[in-house]
């Protein structure tokens, strides 16, 4: 049996052996997808480097490791998630902690949230509001050629569910804190669903970080529905250690005249792969997909973006920037698909990377598929070094070399950070990025919260 | 203050400076003139500490120290300031942050406490008035999208904040309208004390009407081929460089 088949068998067995436990802890709706999903996974397998969109990322060593535990929920997980105490520092937000992929189960009642908003466990929501969840669950995450999606559908038992009623606006963000913490190596999967009904407005911050030094692999799928004229903003801040792999798949489905912003800020992590999909499904929808990545040592960050212009008069904009140090590697793959009927599309894409050493390596690939004729599209990628002239200019004013380099890197990152419109949050990200560049980032400074431990 | 002795610099195997000697004393203003490509900016960059090319021969002493052994940032903190011929645009780095960092580095070097934000902003306002720089410019990224003239004014503004002992102004006058030229000259004159010195690199006599040089040098083909008083600048303005080139070429080929 080759590797590919062995992996497929391992995960199929895992479902078979633990099906009872997984299903008992999940909702009927989620369970009804598992059989089909595991079949699809068996067909697709893990995406390998022959897969065009995983060409630069090797997942195999992460999947063929022996984890001590696999996403099978223990009662204790939920209790731990509930009891995990975090203190908000300077950022005013509603916090929800997921421990090893499990949200606290408190019937979606989060203290202080305005009416018309439900935040909590997807499994609980599927049981209490089957109509709503059924309408959206599994509708936006399409497998494509990516076996990681059905793998998640087959095995994840819970995740976050957020529901915003029509016309409700939330100005204070909801902060989802994904913690992994375990005394053995662990494979984590969770599944999130976010629904923003017509004319509603929802800002979300997601913080990914690893609290213990064990090896972690996380495969998380998030589906988002953004209704007509609704606004959705998701900012993800990733700070995991070198022994952690984070694979995120975010599918954002946008209806007419909606606005959505996704921003992936990767500060640290052994392997990070973010796939971000925006489907501009209704006329006049707009999206911004941003990203910022910093890597050093042997880290690898891969951002895959897919913008699907399915309707006319939509605007999309991709901006990804990063700084790679040491032997680190990075990849960016930005797809723009303009369907036949999507006339008057505006689509922009930009990817700039700075390599600090000769050994760091970046692959950047635009992928434009345009089937409409009245379309404005632009894309550009640069991979270069720090600007020597600028460095000399700063030094000639008395700023030492290290500080000057730092200022240039920070200046380079500004373009992405400046797109964060909430001032308090922007300042917080500024601080984190500066700390990252100074090499002062500790595990617990990652989130906008400080944890007890 | 500054002694350059027989300085030779090669860039990519080509000798650009071919043995330059220059002596600048406290309180003096030196003008360096010379045709395009003669090596004026190269000399200025070497003084400011840009690592490019090879210094194959020569010595530079600044205030008793071996300048060539000092890093660019230390030269700045020791009082050398280069007004760039082509100031660099640095997107994402704000003027305020840039100048505040620079000034506080200078202060730290002198054992002073960093300036508070409010004191710094006060100082900025003062210096902005001195060089009549648009208020908006200092809220932007360093030189980004500045017009040619605005970039030059920004150089003088930075000079006003850092108060150097030895200012080297590389064609700070080119691209300036008459009013701006006066402002720049005025800025230079106001910063002048018996303790500091200025080297102005220029193509035009015009600037020297406002900043009166004590000594004028002509740099040609990597060498200082003529040195004189301020009347030399007037003569160059009238006759151009051909007569000097001829003299020199006759000497070198003859
Ligand atoms: N980095 C470099 N690589 C190769 N040649 C260079 C480099 N820098 C300068 N030179 C060459 O050195 C010579 C002197 O250039 P420099 O800029 O010092 O002249 P300049 O006197 O300042 O001219 P201008 O009046 O046009 O400003 C020119 O021939 C130039 O092409
Ligand atoms: Mg020059």
């Amino acid at each position: 049996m080759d590797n590919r088949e062995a992996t497929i068998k391992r995960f199929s067995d895992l479902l078979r052996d633990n099906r009872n436990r997984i299903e008992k802890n999940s909702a009927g709706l989620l369970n009804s997808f598992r059989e089909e999903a595991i079949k699809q996974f068996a067909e697709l397998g893990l995406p390998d480097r022959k897969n065009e969109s995983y060409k630069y990322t090797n997942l195999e060593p992460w999947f063929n490791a022996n984890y001590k535990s696999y996403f099978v929920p223990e009662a204790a997980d939920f209790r731990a998630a509930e009891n995990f105490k975090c203190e908000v520092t300077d950022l005013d937000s509603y916090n929800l902690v997921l421990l090893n992929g499990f949200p606290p189960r408190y019937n979606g009642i989060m203290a202080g949230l305005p009416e018309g908003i439900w935040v909590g466990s997807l499994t609980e929501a599927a049981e209490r509001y089957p109509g709503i969840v059924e309408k959206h669950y599994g509708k936006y995450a399409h497998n494509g050629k990516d076996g990681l999606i059905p793998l998640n559908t087959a095995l994840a038992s819970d995740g976050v569910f957020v529901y915003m009623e029509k016309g409700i606006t939330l100005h204070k963000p909801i902060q989802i804190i994904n913690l992994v913490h375990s005394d053995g190596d662990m494979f984590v999967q969770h599944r999130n669903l976010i629904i923003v009904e017509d004319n509603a407005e929802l800002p979300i911050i997601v913080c990914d970080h690893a609290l213990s030094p064990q090896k972690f692999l996380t495969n998380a799928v998030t589906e988002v529905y953004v209704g007509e004229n609704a606004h959705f903003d998701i900012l993800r801040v990733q700070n995991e250690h070198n022994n952690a792999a984070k694979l995120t798949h975010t599918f954002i489905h946008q209806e007419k005249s909606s606005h959505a912003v996704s921003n992936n800020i990767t500060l640290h992590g052994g392997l990070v792969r973010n796939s971000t999909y925006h489907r501009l499904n209704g006329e006049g929808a707009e999206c911004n997909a941003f990203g910022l990545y910093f890597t050093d040592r042997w880290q690898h960050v891969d951002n895959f973006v897919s913008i699907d212009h399915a309707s006319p008069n939509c605007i999309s904009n991709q901006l990804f920037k990063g700084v790679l140090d040491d032997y680190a590697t990075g990849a960016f793959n930005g797809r723009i698909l303009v369907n036949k009927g999507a006339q008057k599309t505006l689509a922009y894409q930009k990817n700039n990377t700075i390599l600090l050493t000769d050994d760091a390596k970046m692959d950047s690939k635009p992928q434009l598929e345009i089937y409409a004729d009245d379309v404005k599209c632009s894309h550009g990628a640069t991979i270069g070094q720090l600007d020597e002239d600028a460095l000399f200019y700063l030094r000639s004013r008395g700023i030492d070399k290290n500080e000057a380099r730092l200022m240039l890197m920070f200046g380079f990152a500004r373009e992405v950070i400046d797109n964060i419109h909430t001032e308090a949050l922007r300042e917080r990200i500024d601080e984190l990025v500066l700390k990252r560049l100074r090499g002062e980032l500790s595990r617990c400074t990652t989130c906008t919260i400080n944890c007890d431990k | 203050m500054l002694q350059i002795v027989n300085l030779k610099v090669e860039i990519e195997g080509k000798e650009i400076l071919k043995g330059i000697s220059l002596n600048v004393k406290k309180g003096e203003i030196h003008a360096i003139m010379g045709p395009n490509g003669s090596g004026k900016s190269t000399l200025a960059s070497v003084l400011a500490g840009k690592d490019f090319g090879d210094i194959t021969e020569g010595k530079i002493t600044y205030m008793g120290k071996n300048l060539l052994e000092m890093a660019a940032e230390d030269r700045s903190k020791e009082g050398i300031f280069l007004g760039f011929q082509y100031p660099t645009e640095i997107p994402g780095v704000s003027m305020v942050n840039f100048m505040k960092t620079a000034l506080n580095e200078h202060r730290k070097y002198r054992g002073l406490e960093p300036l508070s934000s409010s004191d710094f902003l006060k100082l900025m306002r003062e210096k902005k008035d001195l060089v009549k720089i648009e208020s908006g410019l200092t809220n932007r990224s360093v030189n980004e999208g500045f017009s040619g003239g605005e970039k030059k004014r920004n150089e003088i503004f930075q000079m006003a904040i850092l108060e150097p002992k030895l200012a080297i102004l590389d064609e700070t006058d080119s691209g300036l309208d008459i009013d701006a030229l006066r402002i720049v000259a005025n800025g230079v004159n106001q910063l002048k004390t018996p303790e500091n010195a200025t080297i102005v690199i220029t193509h035009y006599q015009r600037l020297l009407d406002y900043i009166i040089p004590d000594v004028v040098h002509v740099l040609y083909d990597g060498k200082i081929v003529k040195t004189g008083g301020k009347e030399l600048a007037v003569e160059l303005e009238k006759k151009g460089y051909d007569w000097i080139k001829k003299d020199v070429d006759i000497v070198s080929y003859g």
Side-chain angles (χ1 to χ4, degrees), chain B residues 11-12 14 16 35-42 52 85 171 203:
Chain B
I11 300 176
E12 286 165 12
K14 192 178 150 215
I16 305 292
N36 295 133
S38 57
K40 303 181 297 294
S41 296
T42 305
F52 70 136
Q85 183 176 5
E171 296 198 26
H203 285 293

Side-chain angles (χ1 to χ4, degrees), chain A residues 387 389-390 392-401 403 407-408 410-412 414, chain B residues 49-50 73 76 81-82 84 88 90-93 98 102 105-106 142-143 155 158:
Chain A
D387 180 350
D389 289 336
F392 176 60
Y393 192 79
L394 296 179
R395 293 180 68 194
S396 78
R397 300 304 185 238
I399 299 169
D400 74 44
K401 198 172 173 178
E403 188 66 22
M407 284 175 86
L408 291 183
F410 190 58
F412 173 78
R414 277 243 66 88
Chain B
K50 186 168 176 138
E73 53 268 32
S76 166
F81 179 90
L82 170 62
F84 284 74
T88 315
I90 313 181
V93 176
F98 167 47
E105 288 288 328
H106 280 241
V142 179
N143 293 320
E155 295 294 291
Q158 293 171 41

